[in-house]
Structures are given as C-alpha cells and as structure tokens.
Amino acid sequence: MRQVIIVGSGPAGYTAAIYAARANLEPLVVASSVEAGGELMNTTDVENFPGFPDGIQGPELMEKMQAQAERFGAEVLYDDVVSLELEGDVKRVTLGSGTVHEAESIIIATGSAYRKLGLPGEERLSGHGVSWCATCDGFFFRERVIAVVGGGDSAMEEATFLTRFASKVYVIHRRDSLRASKIMQERAFANEKIEFVWNAEVVDILGEDTVTGVKLRSTVDGTESELAVEGVFVAIGNDPRVHLVHDQLELTPEGTIKVDGRSSRTSLPGVFAAGDVIDPTYRQAVTAAASGTVAALDAEHYLAARGEAGAPDVYDDEISGRPEADAA
C-alpha cells in the first residue's frame, strides 16, 4: 500500500510529487494516458513563471517538473483513473487498465477542462474546424480566416498565437469590453490581424463536413448575422474536473473541491486537493504549484500523525495541516 497517490500531473500534481518524494513518501503520480502534464502542455510561451526570465514553453516546463519529481523518487504512471474510493482508512484508486492501487492518503490535482459552447455544430465539427487548443491545431489554419470565442486571457493568448498562421482572426465577445489582463489586451489590440466583434454570441457553427462560418446573435438587440470563417477556437474558460469525487467530497458553489481555509484538506480525512480543481479565481501555473506544495505538506503531516498516534482518526487542525511551530 502506498503512503500517497497523486491524481493529476499539472503544476499542482508534479509540485506535490516533488515535495512528497523529498519527504520519502514515495508518491505514485497517475498522470493520465492522454492529458499528462495538464493544460500547460497546450500553452506556448509561459512568461510569468518565476525563474525563467526569457519565458519557457509550456510542455518544456512540465517536462522539467516531471523530471524533478522523478529525480527524488516519484513514480509516474500513464493511465486514467476511472473511480476513487475515498472513505475509510484505505483509499482505493481504480485505473482504466483495471488495476487498483491503495494508499493511506490521496492528493487530487485533476485540474480543469475546456468549457464548451454547447452547440450541436460544436461537437459535430470537432476536429473539422472546431478546436479548443490553438497550439495543438493552429498549424492547420495557415492563411485562413478564423474566429476565437471569448474575452479573457486565454482567448487573447489564443488569438495572438493564431495570427502566426491565420490571415485574419476575429475575436467574438458577448460584451463591449474584455475581461483579459491589460497586457494581453494591449497585445491583441496592437495586432493588425485581429478584429473584434463586440456584443455578439455564437448561436450556431455552420458547415457540413468542415466549418464554413458562425451564426451570431447581437446581445444588444437580438439581431442575427453570419460571419464566414474556416475555423472556430473556443476559449470561454474551464470547469474543474470533479467528476471522480461527486457525492464523496464537499464542493463549493463554484463547483470546485472545498478545502479548509488556506489548507488543502477536504471534507474527508486523508484526502487533499490542489491546483485549479480548488481554485475558481486565479488559475495560474504558479498558484497551482504553490497549492501542490501545501497539499504535499498537509499529507505529510497527516501521515506523521497517523504513525505517532497508531490510529487513523487523529485529524485535527494542530496535526493534520500545520507545522508544530504554527500550531503551538
């Protein structure tokens, strides 16, 4: 039986693995068979992660995090978790392969998933002009006219990146101002290939076999129009990946896993959570990494308390999540 299993392999998961491995907890990281590395695997330049003054590519950053965790003894497993059993002293993790791993503690760092528009054409034309990842699919839209839906940082990043390939990029936003940070807005506004379509929502994606356009509805007067594009990139946010813990852990009104204050402690003893799955607000790589640190330290103190007490029911603030100096 493992001391700790970490579900997820983004900045939170790998940082938790680094700390847990250095504490000789020999963590197992279930990294997913298809989405190992998390969202940063789909990100180009990461300019705001400390320690990289010239920036770093998202996949390279995650490779470095994984290598650091493995250096200290973490084991990374490329498989998918299909179910979790979190009640009781022994936690069970069932994988897609059918293998069941047991552990004294679990750290959930499953991140978040791309939010979709919910339109029939979106699913039908997925992979045929509809995408949620510019770095994955931008190359296929050389010298084409495309649209990005959204108004936050991710939408501005997608749009700016896509100008490397597309002849023109429309940014479609429901409002008349952006939610993106000032620097991301300035970059987008300064790019001559980007044109903004304000106060409009996408109500349909047009095309039979490939995208030929989008149908728009004005959020001001309700009038409808069509815009000819050959690709649609959806960048309207993310939803926390909590499907594995529904009916097991308490969630917040925002749908994230609820934790105790600034700790990573969930509603069940021995179960900790970190990263975007607990953060509806900031959702940055550096905050996710810091959250992973907290989760590993909380798990370490929880396991130490179990060992000292010889029983699994010693789960209070003084010994499960805070150093002795803080608890004194």
Side-chain angles (χ1 to χ4, degrees):
M1 183 170 65
R2 300 273 181 169
Q3 293 186 80
V4 58
I5 294 177
I6 300 166
V7 182
S9 57
Y14 277 140
T15 303
I18 291 168
Y19 272 77
R22 290 186 73 251
N24 295 321
L25 300 181
E26 300 179 339
L28 173 66
V29 180
V30 184
S32 173
S33 62
V34 294
E35 296 178 327
E39 286 187 40
L40 283 187
M41 296 300 289
N42 300 322
T43 302
T44 50
D45 296 326
V46 179
E47 299 178 325
N48 53 9
F49 199 90
F52 300 94
D54 297 322
I56 185 172
Q57 296 290 298
E60 183 183 0
L61 177 59
M62 298 319 303
E63 289 170 6
K64 289 180 179 292
M65 285 189 175
Q66 178 178 344
Q68 189 172 357
E70 291 177 322
R71 173 194 167 200
F72 292 117
E75 179 184 351
V76 178
L77 182 62
Y78 297 102
D79 205 335
D80 299 301
V81 177
V82 295
S83 68
L84 295 172
E85 296 177 41
L86 303 177
E87 293 275 2
D89 303 338
V90 178
K91 321 300 180 184
R92 292 178 176 82
V93 179
T94 302
L95 305 182
S97 62
T99 304
V100 178
H101 291 273
E102 296 183 340
E104 295 181 72
S105 64
I106 296 284
I107 295 175
I108 299 170
T110 46
S112 55
Y114 296 120
R115 189 173 296 161
K116 298 184 178 182
L117 295 169
L119 303 173
E122 183 180 22
E123 294 296 336
R124 178 170 52 82
L125 294 170
S126 175
H128 299 278
V130 175
S131 175
W132 295 265
C133 176
T135 54
C136 304
D137 301 324
F139 176 82
F140 301 107
F141 293 85
R142 287 187 177 277
E143 298 306 316
R144 297 186 180 185
V145 178
I146 58 179
V148 172
V149 184
D153 276 356
S154 60
M156 296 309 103
E157 182 180 4
E158 298 273 278
T160 302
F161 175 77
L162 287 167
T163 59
R164 301 182 188 184
F165 309 101
S167 60
K168 188 178 188 63
V169 178
Y170 289 102
V171 174
I172 303 170
H173 187 43
R174 293 172 52 87
R175 301 176 181 83
D176 59 3
S177 62
L178 300 171
R179 294 176 288 104
S181 60
K182 184 177 180 181
I183 188 171
M184 296 300 291
Q185 291 191 42
E186 290 174 347
R187 289 179 182 177
F189 288 142
N191 195 310
E192 60 183 14
K193 284 189 175 183
I194 296 177
E195 180 177 334
F196 287 84
V197 180
W198 303 106
N199 297 314
E201 60 180 349
V202 178
V203 294
D204 198 7
I205 299 176
L206 308 175
E208 291 298 324
D209 300 319
T210 61
V211 171
T212 59
V214 291
K215 180 180 288 187
L216 304 177
R217 178 187 296 137
S218 169
T219 58
V220 176
D221 58 21
T223 58
E224 294 188 350
S225 61
E226 293 185 4
L227 179 66
V229 295
E230 297 173 86
V232 177
F233 287 79
V234 181
I236 57 174
N238 304 71
D239 292 310
R241 297 178 185 269
V242 295
H243 60 284
L244 292 170
V245 301
H246 273 301
D247 301 323
Q248 294 194 76
L249 297 180
E250 186 176 353
L251 304 180
T252 67
E254 294 84 3
T256 56
I257 295 175
K258 184 177 182 179
V259 293
D260 181 15
R262 296 183 63 187
S263 79
S264 67
R265 300 190 299 273
T266 70
S267 55
L268 287 178
V271 181
F272 308 90
D276 286 2
V277 78
I278 69 170
D279 179 10
T281 305
Y282 300 105
R283 301 187 57 257
Q284 300 295 306
V286 68
T287 53
S291 179
T293 302
V294 172
L297 293 175
D298 284 348
E300 180 184 356
H301 286 99
Y302 170 79
L303 293 167
R306 281 170 57 93
E308 291 170 3
D313 58 354
V314 285
Y315 189 70
D316 58 50
D317 286 345
E318 293 188 354
I319 59 179
S320 62
R322 293 186 292 175
E324 291 181 3
D326 290 346

